[in-house]
Structures are given as structure tokens and as C-alpha cells.
Amino acid sequence: MSPIFGNIIFKILGNFQHHEKHSHARRLLSIFSRKSKIEETSPYIIVRANTKDYDQILKVMHESYYANEPTVASLKIPPNPFMDERALRAMAKGYTLVARCKHNGCIVGACINEAAHPWDPEIDEKLSCGIENENIKKLIMFYAYLMKAPDLWRCLGVGTVYEMAYLFVKRQHRKKGLAFRLMQESKTLGADSGFPVLRCDATSVHTAKICERLGMQKVAEIPYCSYLDHNLEPVFNPPWPHEGVQTFCDCAPQYNELKKKIQTRKSLFSLEKSKDKYT
């Protein structure tokens, strides 16, 4: 919630304090005031990453991503130069967001976003041929397969897709809404940057729930048990409740952002009318 929105609500609440008969309306509006206070007092800020942040982002990724992301953890893949290089290429595109602690400026989480093109899966397949570690090779091949599976470029007639590729938060800073805020701001960044399609491959149920809350549509699903190696054995065996990858997308991000702004303005207008009615 914006500071302007919060100020308007506090003014309305101030007027209602002199009208005891409208206590019910005050209780309803107090919901918004509490939300505003929570956001204002949050010890974190979401900002766009710069080149000086890359090393720290990789460090947080090593600590928080590899042990928890279902596909990586299932294959027991440790931090490695190949994955680091892949993340750095994504960060270099300039769409990565980080969560910083207001008190010390440290990065406690990030959402690495990138622009994906139709030729990217083929590049990953070729690069995987030079990887000696079999598990890393399997993972990169799966990424290539996953990108091609919905074939959004051809189906939607677009040349570029904005992808929310890596999401991670330090363990001690979890369960505070940071993952949701990072994805929410990433979604807005993609829309504001003019991308026609936003995409997220939710490899965990937690990420999938965030995508649903953000109003994204599920367009494909790949159960982990259905992705097999050359021995016809499942490549991944992650713990419950992670049963597969769900691909979500937003095919009209600019329109949806505009609709959200219009709804916010309507809410402000309704609050102003309520203020005029009871004063």
C-alpha cells in the first residue's frame, strides 16, 4: 500500500473517531491501517540489483537455494561454477530484484529474472554436452526441456518472454512474506518493462501458491515421476509435497497492472465518498 493511500485512510479514521455511531466502519477501515503499518515497519526493502550486488547474491544463493530447491536438492547438486555462470548471465540482463535489510543493507533474498528467447533451450542443450558432472548435465537438460514444453513463444506469437527464474530467501528471514513481495515486485517490473508475457516455472508448491495469489494462470504441468532418464527411471525424487513443475504465465501483464491501478483508484474514490457521507 502506498503512503498516500495510507494517509487518506488515517485521515478518514481520524474523522470517524468523532462519530461513535460509525464504529463498525472504523473497524473495517482499521484493516487497511494495520496493513499499512506492517509495510511501513517492515525491516526489508525490495530494490533492483546492480553489478556490485552480484557476488553477494551468489553467496545467498549458495546458502539458500541449493539445499531447498526441489530439483537441485533431489540431485544433490552443490554450488558450482557452471550454475554460477548461468545465474550471472541472467543477472546481467538487469531485471533482478533483491530484498535488503534496512538496518545493515545486507541482501537476504533475491528473485533473478531474465528475458528468455526461443533459442535459449538449444543453447542450454549444447552447453550441457561439455559438463562432466552427470547430475548437473541432467539438470540443465531438464531446464531446456522445461523451457520448450509449453512453447509459449510459438503459441503466443512472441519473441521474448520475461521469466522469473530463481527465487530464494535466507532461512532466518523466511515466513515474513519476502518471497511473495519479491515475486510481486518482479511481476510488476516485467509488466513495466513492456514484456508481452511473464512466466514462472514453479518447481515447488510454495512458489506455485505465490503464482496463484498473483493471479497468474497455470498453462502446463510436468510431474516429476514422468520425467525419466535413459534407464526409464525418474530423474528427480524430491520430498513431499513437491510432486512436479507447474508453469504459470501472465499473457497480458500491462493490462492486468492497469486494471489493478484502476481498482485501487476506485477503492480510493469509495473511501472519499464514505468520508463525505459521514462528515
Side-chain angles (χ1 to χ4, degrees), residues 205-223:
V205 295
H206 310 302
T207 307
K209 288 178 180 178
I210 294 176
C211 290
E212 290 172 351
R213 286 179 62 191
L214 291 173
M216 301 179 74
Q217 301 298 314
K218 184 166 71 171
V219 297
E221 184 169 8
I222 303 173

Side-chain angles (χ1 to χ4, degrees), residues 48-162:
R48 206 161 176 171
N50 57 58
T51 54
K52 295 179 181 179
D53 297 325
Y54 291 177
D55 288 341
Q56 193 176 352
I57 292 172
L58 285 179
K59 184 178 178 181
V60 176
M61 187 177 182
H62 292 172
E63 296 172 1
S64 311
Y65 182 78
Y66 286 84
N68 298 280
E69 197 281 323
T71 58
V72 176
S74 178
L75 293 175
K76 297 181 172 58
I77 295 175
N80 59 86
F82 186 88
M83 293 286 287
D84 284 353
E85 181 62 30
R86 199 172 189 275
L88 285 169
R89 287 201 306 270
M91 286 188 275
K93 296 182 180 179
Y95 302 110
T96 295
L97 295 180
V98 295
R100 287 189 183 278
C101 176
K102 289 181 181 178
H103 304 300
N104 56 25
C106 290
I107 293 174
V108 299
C111 188
I112 301 177
N113 309 300
E114 62 179 329
H117 306 90
W119 54 82
D120 288 340
E122 186 177 349
I123 292 174
D124 272 349
E125 288 173 350
K126 290 180 178 178
L127 289 174
S128 68
C129 295
I131 300 174
E132 295 182 0
N133 185 296
E134 282 299 318
N135 283 346
I136 297 177
K137 182 182 291 188
K138 288 179 181 178
L139 183 66
I140 300 304
M141 289 297 290
F142 177 67
Y143 285 162
Y145 173 79
L146 187 58
M147 280 193 284
K148 291 190 294 185
D151 199 3
L152 296 180
W153 300 285
R154 184 181 61 83
C155 292
L156 300 175
V158 297
T160 309
V161 170
Y162 177 88

Side-chain angles (χ1 to χ4, degrees), residues 15-56:
N15 290 328
F16 278 144
Q17 286 177 352
H18 300 290
H19 302 275
E20 289 298 325
K21 64 179 180 178
H22 302 308
S23 59
H24 177 65
R26 287 203 306 277
R27 284 195 298 272
L28 289 176
L29 288 174
S30 67
I31 296 172
F32 296 99
S33 66
R34 282 197 297 272
K35 181 180 178 182
S36 177
K37 288 178 181 178
I38 289 172
E39 292 185 355
E40 288 177 0
T41 58
S42 172
Y44 310 104
I45 56 171
I46 309 297
V47 295
R48 206 161 176 171
N50 57 58
T51 54
K52 295 179 181 179
D53 297 325
Y54 291 177
D55 288 341
Q56 193 176 352

Side-chain angles (χ1 to χ4, degrees), residues 1-2 5 9 32 35 184 187 213-215 253-272:
M1 182 182 295
S2 68
F5 194 13
I9 293 174
F32 296 99
K35 181 180 178 182
Q184 184 181 44
K187 185 169 177 283
R213 286 179 62 191
L214 291 173
Q254 291 86 4
Y255 168 76
N256 290 329
E257 286 297 313
L258 178 61
K259 185 169 68 173
K260 188 165 64 175
K261 291 177 182 178
I262 291 172
Q263 290 173 343
T264 301
R265 289 177 182 176
K266 284 182 178 180
S267 299
L268 285 169
F269 180 71
S270 298
L271 287 168
E272 286 291 345

